[in-house]
Amino acid sequence: MIDFEPRGAGVRVHLSTADVGVLRRLPELLDTLGDPVDDPAAARLAPGAYPDDPDADAEFRRLAAAELSRGRAADRHELLASLEAGAVDLDAELAAAWLRVINETRLLLAARLGIEDDGWTYRRIGRSSRAALLYYLSWAQESLLAALEPGFGTEPASWTA
């Protein structure tokens, strides 16, 4: 399991070979997103800004889509580039990129597993590889946030179902 060690304003991340393998696959998994009209995972990652005004919403999407895509690609690149070392030092900016990639992947997985609310449990969603990855990423996200902000959240044991 990933070990997050607070370091000043950042975090040192100790990664096993297995952790590196999982994290390297996140951008690849995110590349499977389709069109928001046809893919519930893509729709979850691109919620409307103006739900009551379809024309304004379409204009917002047209104006923001390229910038959001560039930002997401940059985050994925930063994550992959930082995985070259076994122990990674994350400053606040790089930690934020990691958190965005992890969260995007969690949202993708949740949509594809049919999770519609925050009340999911590992038992309720089954024991598929997607469910296991969602569980792992949820733990990693909470643990990274806790390392960045002492006192954040709960102990990783809170993820037991």
Side-chain angles (χ1 to χ4, degrees), residues 1-89:
M1 246 349 185
I2 301 173
D3 178 35
F4 297 98
E5 177 187 349
R7 287 267 172 117
V11 174
R12 172 159 275 199
V13 184
H14 301 276
L15 301 164
S16 70
T17 304
D19 293 322
V20 171
V22 169
L23 294 172
R24 279 188 197 279
R25 295 201 57 226
L26 299 186
E28 180 182 312
L29 183 58
L30 289 166
D31 286 343
T32 67
L33 287 166
D35 183 89
V37 174
D38 302 321
D39 183 351
R44 189 169 289 183
L45 286 167
Y50 302 98
D52 297 330
D53 187 342
D55 292 334
D57 195 57
E59 180 67 4
F60 171 79
R61 287 176 191 275
R62 185 185 70 75
L63 293 171
E67 182 64 30
L68 288 171
S69 181
R70 279 191 297 275
R72 288 178 173 158
D75 288 342
R76 294 170 193 173
H77 173 76
E78 291 295 322
L79 174 96
L80 289 173
S82 66
L83 291 175
E84 296 305 316
V88 180
D89 288 319

Side-chain angles (χ1 to χ4, degrees), residues 29 32 105-106 108-115 120 122 125-137:
L29 183 58
T32 67
T105 309
R106 288 179 64 249
L108 176 148
L109 292 166
R112 293 197 176 153
L113 286 165
I115 297 171
W120 68 274
Y122 197 50
I125 63 173
R127 301 216 179 259
S128 68
S129 59
R130 283 183 179 168
L133 181 56
L134 178 60
Y135 183 82
Y136 171 86
L137 293 175

